[in-house]
Amino acid sequence: DAGVTQSPTHLIKTRGQHVTLRCSPISGHKSVSWYQQVLGQGPQFIFQYYEKEERGRGNFPDRFSARQFPNYSSELNVNALLLGDSALYLCASSDHTSGTSYEQYFGPGTRLTVT
Amino acid sequence: KQEVTQIPAALSVPEGENLVLNCSFTDSAIYNLQWFRQDPGKGLTSLLLIQSSQREQTSGRLNASLDKSSGRSTLYIAASQPGDSATYLCAVESYNTDKLIFGTGTRLQVFP
Protein backbone atom coordinates (compact mmCIF):
# COMPACT_ATOMS: atom_id res chain seq x y z
CA ASP A 1 0.00 0.00 0.00
CA ALA A 2 1.41 3.39 -0.97
CA GLY A 3 2.35 5.85 1.73
CA VAL A 4 1.74 9.58 1.68
CA THR A 5 2.81 11.05 -1.65
CA GLN A 6 3.69 14.65 -2.44
CA SER A 7 4.39 16.53 -5.63
CA PRO A 8 6.51 18.09 -6.87
CA THR A 9 9.68 16.92 -5.12
CA HIS A 10 11.55 20.14 -5.70
CA LEU A 11 10.45 23.57 -6.84
CA ILE A 12 12.23 26.85 -7.54
CA LYS A 13 10.18 30.04 -7.64
CA THR A 14 10.84 33.77 -7.76
CA ARG A 15 9.71 36.25 -5.12
CA GLY A 16 6.13 37.39 -5.69
CA GLN A 17 5.09 34.24 -7.54
CA HIS A 18 2.44 31.74 -6.52
CA VAL A 19 2.97 28.04 -5.78
CA THR A 20 0.70 25.01 -5.39
CA LEU A 21 1.86 21.89 -3.57
CA ARG A 22 -0.03 18.62 -3.68
CA CYS A 23 -0.50 15.72 -1.29
CA SER A 24 -2.23 12.35 -1.48
CA PRO A 25 -2.89 10.67 1.87
CA ILE A 26 -2.66 7.00 2.70
CA SER A 27 -5.70 5.17 1.37
CA GLY A 28 -8.49 5.34 3.94
CA HIS A 29 -7.06 8.33 5.80
CA LYS A 30 -9.40 11.30 5.90
CA SER A 31 -7.18 13.80 7.71
CA VAL A 32 -4.37 15.75 6.05
CA SER A 33 -2.06 18.21 7.77
CA TRP A 34 0.56 20.54 6.33
CA TYR A 35 3.82 21.55 8.02
CA GLN A 36 6.66 23.90 7.11
CA GLN A 37 10.20 22.92 8.08
CA VAL A 38 12.91 25.54 7.82
CA LEU A 39 16.48 24.23 7.76
CA GLY A 40 17.67 23.30 11.24
CA GLN A 41 14.24 23.58 12.86
CA GLY A 42 11.40 21.24 13.69
CA PRO A 43 8.30 21.29 11.48
CA GLN A 44 5.75 24.03 12.15
CA PHE A 45 2.02 23.34 11.79
CA ILE A 46 0.25 25.22 8.97
CA PHE A 47 -3.16 23.57 8.44
CA GLN A 48 -5.21 20.48 9.19
CA TYR A 49 -8.15 19.32 7.09
CA TYR A 50 -10.58 16.56 7.94
CA GLU A 51 -13.45 15.53 5.71
CA LYS A 52 -12.79 18.57 3.50
CA GLU A 53 -13.15 21.02 6.36
CA GLU A 54 -10.42 23.08 7.97
CA ARG A 55 -9.91 21.84 11.51
CA GLY A 56 -6.86 23.83 12.50
CA ARG A 57 -4.67 26.68 11.36
CA GLY A 58 -1.21 27.60 12.57
CA ASN A 59 0.36 31.03 12.90
CA PHE A 60 0.89 31.68 9.20
CA PRO A 61 -0.19 34.70 7.12
CA ASP A 62 -3.23 34.71 4.84
CA ARG A 63 -0.91 34.18 1.87
CA PHE A 64 -1.08 30.52 2.87
CA SER A 65 -4.25 28.63 2.02
CA ALA A 66 -5.25 25.02 1.52
CA ARG A 67 -8.10 22.81 0.55
CA GLN A 68 -9.05 19.14 0.62
CA PHE A 69 -10.82 17.36 -2.21
CA PRO A 70 -13.55 14.66 -2.10
CA ASN A 71 -10.87 11.97 -2.56
CA TYR A 72 -9.09 13.42 0.54
CA SER A 73 -6.09 14.67 -1.41
CA SER A 74 -5.03 18.20 -0.58
CA GLU A 75 -3.39 21.29 -2.02
CA LEU A 76 -1.38 23.94 -0.23
CA ASN A 77 -1.24 27.31 -1.96
CA VAL A 78 1.17 30.12 -1.17
CA ASN A 79 0.75 33.54 -2.79
CA ALA A 80 3.22 36.43 -3.10
CA LEU A 81 6.21 34.26 -2.22
CA LEU A 82 8.90 35.66 0.03
CA LEU A 83 12.48 34.50 0.45
CA GLY A 84 11.51 33.31 3.94
CA ASP A 85 9.03 30.83 2.47
CA SER A 86 11.96 28.67 1.33
CA ALA A 87 11.55 25.45 3.27
CA LEU A 88 10.62 21.78 3.16
CA TYR A 89 6.84 21.46 3.09
CA LEU A 90 5.58 18.27 4.65
CA CYS A 91 2.20 16.64 4.39
CA ALA A 92 0.94 14.16 6.98
CA SER A 93 -2.10 11.93 6.98
CA SER A 94 -3.90 10.07 9.72
CA ASP A 95 -7.19 8.42 10.43
CA HIS A 96 -7.55 11.20 12.97
CA THR A 97 -10.71 12.75 14.28
CA SER A 98 -10.72 15.55 16.82
CA GLY A 99 -10.78 14.11 20.31
CA THR A 100 -8.98 10.89 19.42
CA SER A 101 -5.35 9.98 19.09
CA TYR A 102 -3.89 8.45 15.96
CA GLU A 103 -0.43 8.11 14.49
CA GLN A 104 0.50 10.59 11.81
CA TYR A 105 2.36 9.48 8.69
CA PHE A 106 4.47 11.93 6.74
CA GLY A 107 5.26 12.18 3.06
CA PRO A 108 8.72 12.84 1.59
CA GLY A 109 8.11 16.58 1.39
CA THR A 110 8.41 19.27 -1.27
CA ARG A 111 11.57 21.36 -1.17
CA LEU A 112 10.62 24.94 -2.13
CA THR A 113 13.35 27.44 -2.94
CA VAL A 114 12.40 31.09 -3.45
CA THR A 115 14.97 33.27 -5.20
CA LYS B 1 1.50 27.54 24.98
CA GLN B 2 3.06 24.12 24.44
CA GLU B 3 6.83 24.13 23.96
CA VAL B 4 8.97 21.09 23.20
CA THR B 5 12.69 20.91 23.88
CA GLN B 6 15.15 18.22 22.88
CA ILE B 7 18.53 17.60 24.48
CA PRO B 8 21.20 17.15 23.31
CA ALA B 9 21.07 19.02 20.00
CA ALA B 10 23.75 16.75 18.56
CA LEU B 11 25.36 13.49 19.58
CA SER B 12 28.25 11.51 18.14
CA VAL B 13 28.88 7.98 19.42
CA PRO B 14 30.82 4.87 18.38
CA GLU B 15 28.94 1.92 17.00
CA GLY B 16 27.54 -0.45 19.63
CA GLU B 17 26.81 2.12 22.32
CA ASN B 18 23.44 2.36 24.02
CA LEU B 19 22.15 5.91 24.04
CA VAL B 20 19.32 8.07 25.34
CA LEU B 21 17.68 11.04 23.66
CA ASN B 22 15.63 13.41 25.77
CA CYS B 23 12.45 15.35 25.06
CA SER B 24 10.62 17.68 27.42
CA PHE B 25 7.32 19.53 27.05
CA THR B 26 5.75 22.31 29.08
CA ASP B 27 2.05 21.36 29.07
CA SER B 28 1.22 17.88 30.39
CA ALA B 29 -2.27 17.89 28.83
CA ILE B 30 -1.32 15.82 25.81
CA TYR B 31 -3.08 13.16 23.73
CA ASN B 32 0.10 11.46 22.67
CA LEU B 33 3.81 11.83 22.00
CA GLN B 34 5.43 10.62 18.82
CA TRP B 35 9.09 10.03 17.95
CA PHE B 36 10.24 10.46 14.36
CA ARG B 37 13.40 9.91 12.40
CA GLN B 38 14.46 12.25 9.60
CA ASP B 39 17.29 11.61 7.15
CA PRO B 40 18.90 14.69 5.54
CA GLY B 41 16.52 16.41 3.14
CA LYS B 42 13.89 13.72 3.57
CA GLY B 43 10.48 13.38 5.16
CA LEU B 44 9.71 12.03 8.63
CA THR B 45 9.49 8.36 9.48
CA SER B 46 7.35 7.52 12.49
CA LEU B 47 9.22 5.38 15.03
CA LEU B 48 6.98 5.14 18.08
CA LEU B 49 3.69 6.60 19.29
CA ILE B 50 2.94 6.69 23.02
CA GLN B 51 -0.64 7.36 24.02
CA SER B 52 -1.20 9.62 27.04
CA SER B 53 -2.36 6.62 29.10
CA GLN B 54 0.80 4.60 28.32
CA ARG B 55 4.22 4.67 29.99
CA GLU B 56 6.34 3.21 27.23
CA GLN B 57 6.47 1.65 23.78
CA THR B 58 9.05 -0.65 22.24
CA SER B 59 9.99 -1.46 18.66
CA GLY B 60 13.07 -3.56 18.03
CA ARG B 61 16.09 -1.76 19.45
CA LEU B 62 14.03 1.31 20.29
CA ASN B 63 12.23 2.02 23.54
CA ALA B 64 10.38 5.22 24.30
CA SER B 65 9.06 6.21 27.71
CA LEU B 66 6.62 8.90 28.75
CA ASP B 67 6.24 10.66 32.10
CA LYS B 68 3.39 13.11 31.64
CA SER B 69 3.52 14.53 35.13
CA SER B 70 7.12 15.66 34.70
CA GLY B 71 6.69 16.55 31.02
CA ARG B 72 9.41 14.21 29.79
CA SER B 73 10.01 11.46 27.29
CA THR B 74 13.15 9.51 26.48
CA LEU B 75 14.07 7.50 23.41
CA TYR B 76 16.47 4.68 24.18
CA ILE B 77 18.45 3.17 21.29
CA ALA B 78 20.21 -0.09 22.07
CA ALA B 79 23.37 -1.25 20.34
CA SER B 80 23.57 1.72 17.99
CA GLN B 81 24.57 1.20 14.35
CA PRO B 82 25.88 3.59 11.65
CA GLY B 83 22.49 3.24 9.94
CA ASP B 84 20.90 4.91 12.96
CA SER B 85 22.59 8.19 11.98
CA ALA B 86 19.80 10.73 11.43
CA THR B 87 17.92 13.51 13.17
CA TYR B 88 15.41 12.34 15.78
CA LEU B 89 12.38 14.52 16.45
CA CYS B 90 9.78 14.27 19.16
CA ALA B 91 6.35 15.81 18.83
CA VAL B 92 3.34 16.14 21.12
CA GLU B 93 -0.32 16.48 20.32
CA SER B 94 -2.14 18.51 22.96
CA TYR B 95 -5.78 18.29 24.00
CA ASN B 96 -8.20 20.39 21.95
CA THR B 97 -5.76 20.92 19.13
CA ASP B 98 -5.31 18.97 15.93
CA LYS B 99 -1.63 19.56 15.46
CA LEU B 100 1.77 18.23 16.43
CA ILE B 101 4.23 20.50 18.23
CA PHE B 102 7.79 19.50 17.41
CA GLY B 103 11.10 19.90 19.14
CA THR B 104 14.12 21.03 17.14
CA GLY B 105 15.56 17.52 17.09
CA THR B 106 18.70 15.66 18.09
CA ARG B 107 21.20 15.07 15.30
CA LEU B 108 22.78 11.65 15.87
CA GLN B 109 25.93 10.34 14.26
CA VAL B 110 27.05 6.77 14.88
CA PHE B 111 30.55 6.08 13.58
CA PRO B 112 32.03 2.62 12.87
Side-chain angles (χ1 to χ4, degrees):
Chain A
D1 193 13
V4 178
T5 59
Q6 293 186 244
S7 63
T9 305
H10 295 89
L11 204 51
I12 299 175
K13 290 287 190 178
T14 304
R15 279 177 296 176
Q17 286 188 319
H18 162 90
V19 68
T20 297
L21 310 181
R22 295 176 175 83
C23 171
S24 292
I26 291 172
S27 177
H29 285 187
K30 300 179 180 179
S31 172
V32 170
S33 298
W34 287 95
Y35 291 80
Q36 180 197 64
Q37 186 178 26
V38 175
L39 195 63
Q41 300 293 318
Q44 297 289 317
F45 174 77
I46 310 175
F47 287 109
Q48 193 225 0
Y49 276 77
Y50 177 75
E51 288 280 20
K52 302 180 289 296
E53 290 188 2
E54 182 182 302
R55 288 295 186 91
R57 172 185 284 258
N59 188 24
F60 281 81
D62 291 343
R63 298 185 297 107
F64 288 76
S65 63
R67 56 179 175 168
Q68 187 176 33
F69 299 99
N71 66 353
Y72 304 111
S73 67
S74 177
E75 284 183 353
L76 175 69
N77 296 284
V78 187
N79 292 324
L81 285 167
L82 303 174
L83 294 179
D85 295 331
S86 296
L88 181 67
Y89 288 85
L90 296 163
C91 173
S93 81
S94 75
D95 194 14
H96 177 95
T97 58
S98 182
T100 58
S101 180
Y102 290 91
E103 192 166 359
Q104 296 206 32
Y105 298 88
F106 282 77
T110 293
R111 171 70 63 187
L112 172 65
T113 301
V114 182
T115 62
Chain B
K1 177 186 173 186
Q2 179 72 270
E3 293 183 359
V4 180
T5 304
Q6 291 188 246
I7 294 174
L11 188 61
S12 183
V13 299
E15 182 177 9
E17 276 205 5
N18 301 323
L19 50 98
V20 175
L21 308 182
N22 296 292
C23 172
S24 62
F25 47 95
T26 54
D27 184 354
S28 62
I30 63 170
Y31 272 137
N32 63 51
L33 183 145
Q34 203 166 344
W35 282 93
F36 295 90
R37 168 188 172 134
Q38 186 174 33
D39 293 291
K42 304 295 184 182
L44 276 61
T45 300
S46 179
L47 298 174
L48 290 165
L49 170 74
I50 310 177
Q51 307 280 3
S52 61
S53 59
Q54 297 175 324
R55 299 280 299 188
E56 65 177 336
Q57 282 286 344
T58 298
S59 176
R61 295 182 294 110
L62 304 179
N63 175 275
S65 67
L66 174 63
D67 184 344
K68 273 182 51 179
S69 61
S70 66
R72 293 179 182 177
S73 176
T74 60
L75 178 66
Y76 176 83
I77 303 177
S80 59
Q81 304 171 357
D84 295 331
S85 298
T87 294
Y88 291 80
L89 293 154
C90 74
V92 299
E93 182 175 353
S94 298
Y95 286 131
N96 299 320
T97 72
D98 290 318
K99 62 182 180 181
L100 292 175
I101 305 295
F102 283 84
T104 53
T106 293
R107 190 172 67 254
L108 172 66
Q109 182 182 12
V110 181
F111 54 90

